[in-house]
Amino acid sequence: MRIVVDLNRCQGYAQCAFLAPQVFELHGEEALMFTPAVPDDQHEHVRRAAAACPVQAILVGERAGP
């Protein structure tokens, strides 16, 4: 699974970092770091994080592009 985060849309709510801390990490108040190639054991966590994002900044799977 691959993900892309629209960093222009991301507002730093950090729901993703709370729900999938092995994939998303917030540095400071607004700098989001993430792993584009999601490990197999983190797929469900990432799907939940994407669904919980208040601004829908996380694109998962096919929506993330090749």
Side-chain angles (χ1 to χ4, degrees):
M1 168 191 287
R2 295 198 53 81
I3 60 170
V4 172
V5 177
D6 183 342
L7 297 175
N8 290 318
R9 181 177 276 189
C10 177
Q11 297 294 306
Y13 289 105
Q15 293 300 310
C16 56
F18 175 74
L19 293 168
Q22 292 183 8
V23 177
F24 302 97
E25 186 176 351
L26 202 60
H27 288 268
E29 293 184 24
E30 295 182 4
L32 180 69
M33 303 294 290
F34 66 96
T35 305
V38 178
D40 290 341
D41 65 336
Q42 294 297 305
H43 288 194
E44 187 59 33
H45 296 286
V46 169
R47 284 187 186 97
R48 289 181 185 161
C53 180
V55 294
Q56 299 298 295
I58 304 168
L59 302 177
V60 177
E62 292 179 9
R63 293 181 58 209

